[in-house]
Amino acid sequence: QSALTQPPSVSGSPGQSVTISCTGTNSDVGAYDRVSWYQQPPDTAPKLLIYEVSNRPSGVPDRFSGSKSGNTASLIISGLQAEDEADYYCCSYTSSRTYVFGTGTKVTVL
Amino acid sequence: QVQLVQSGSELKKPGASVAVSCKASGYTFTNYAINWMRQAPGQGLEWMGWINTKTGNPTYAQGFTGRFVFSWDTSVSTAYLQISSLKAEDTAVYYCGRDEYGGRSKLDYWGQGSLVTVSS
């Protein structure tokens, strides 16, 4: 199972919006609405931001939103803040009844 | 509150074995699966597999069969990852994560990570 493809880095100024893509296949992202997103600040465990494509756990700001079209899922961060600087990973359930993570994206706040 | 607390850092020689523990609290242990992830230095997350905490049945991802073993002890609400015949490339932080059954891709609580360093 190959890792899902994410851009290595995205950047934006405070207050701007950034979008991180996560491209898979019709055996994972395209097959199920079971895509999640995780935020990982340096030297910290990942934190769940979005599950089942677009659902936010309680406590996650509504600046974070998710969507999916075909084999590509997206995480949108609106109103970018300095504290959003971190690595972000997508994850999808697969037709093999396994999970696969994305390659990871570093978000830089300019 | 829900917590997953992992064992501490380990320094091992090539060929040795290591066990990482993941102790759950704040919820009914058997109501959720435990997944294991690996993160090599400066690299991304890799999904290693999961253990059904109701039955003890493990599922391993490709590349994590043979030397990797998941186990559990419900009496102490703890899941374990054992790695044998350690190699330098096993040097990584290993994370456990709680997930609902059914593959919802909802790892809502994670352990703090356990660093395993393999070096002669």
Side-chain angles (χ1 to χ4, degrees):
Chain A
Q1 185 75 49
S2 298
L4 307 175
T5 301
Q6 298 181 229
S9 63
V10 299
S11 61
S13 299
Q16 287 187 327
S17 294
V18 296
T19 298
I20 303 170
S21 61
C22 168
T23 301
T25 69
N26 53 18
S27 295
D28 39 62
V29 175
Y32 307 95
D33 284 339
R34 297 181 188 180
V35 176
S36 51
W37 289 91
Y38 301 87
Q39 178 192 58
Q40 186 181 34
D43 299 318
T44 306
K47 170 190 170 185
L48 177 66
L49 285 180
I50 298 286
Y51 66 96
E52 292 178 330
V53 175
S54 59
N55 294 305
R56 272 187 314 275
S58 60
V60 173
D62 59 7
R63 303 186 292 104
F64 295 92
S65 61
S67 65
K68 191 187 88 165
S69 178
N71 294 341
T72 298
S74 298
L75 175 70
I76 305 97
I77 309 175
S78 306
L80 198 61
Q81 299 183 3
E83 69 217 46
D84 299 333
E85 201 160 273
D87 294 327
Y88 292 79
Y89 295 91
C90 60
C91 178
S92 177
Y93 185 68
T94 82
S95 59
S96 300
R97 298 200 292 179
T98 62
Y99 287 135
V100 61
F101 279 94
T103 49
T105 298
K106 181 177 180 61
V107 170
T108 301
V109 182
L110 301 172
Chain B
Q1 73 283 22
V2 174
Q3 279 192 303
L4 296 176
V5 178
Q6 297 184 226
S7 49
S9 299
E10 301 268 9
L11 174 61
K12 296 290 185 180
K13 294 189 185 303
S17 298
V18 70
V20 175
S21 65
C22 171
K23 183 171 177 57
S25 61
Y27 72 98
T28 301
F29 180 63
T30 52
N31 284 354
Y32 292 82
I34 292 290
N35 287 248
W36 289 96
M37 281 65 63
R38 179 172 79 177
Q39 188 167 39
Q43 302 300 308
L45 294 168
E46 285 183 277
W47 185 76
M48 300 174 65
W50 68 286
I51 185 166
N52 184 322
T53 57
K54 295 179 193 286
T55 65
N57 184 52
T59 297
Y60 300 97
Q62 278 186 334
F64 293 100
T65 56
R67 297 190 299 115
F68 300 84
V69 175
F70 306 147
S71 60
W72 94 127
D73 184 343
T74 57
S75 68
V76 289
S77 299
T78 301
Y80 302 94
L81 163 65
Q82 294 176 283
I83 311 172
S84 59
S85 302
L86 282 163
K87 306 174 183 180
E89 51 263 42
D90 294 323
T91 294
V93 176
Y94 292 84
Y95 292 102
C96 61
R98 185 185 86 158
D99 186 26
E100 297 185 7
Y101 290 108
R104 291 186 67 190
S105 184
K106 187 183 178 186
L107 295 162
D108 59 352
Y109 286 91
W110 292 59
Q112 82 277 20
S114 298
L115 173 63
V116 174
T117 303
V118 183
S119 173
S120 54

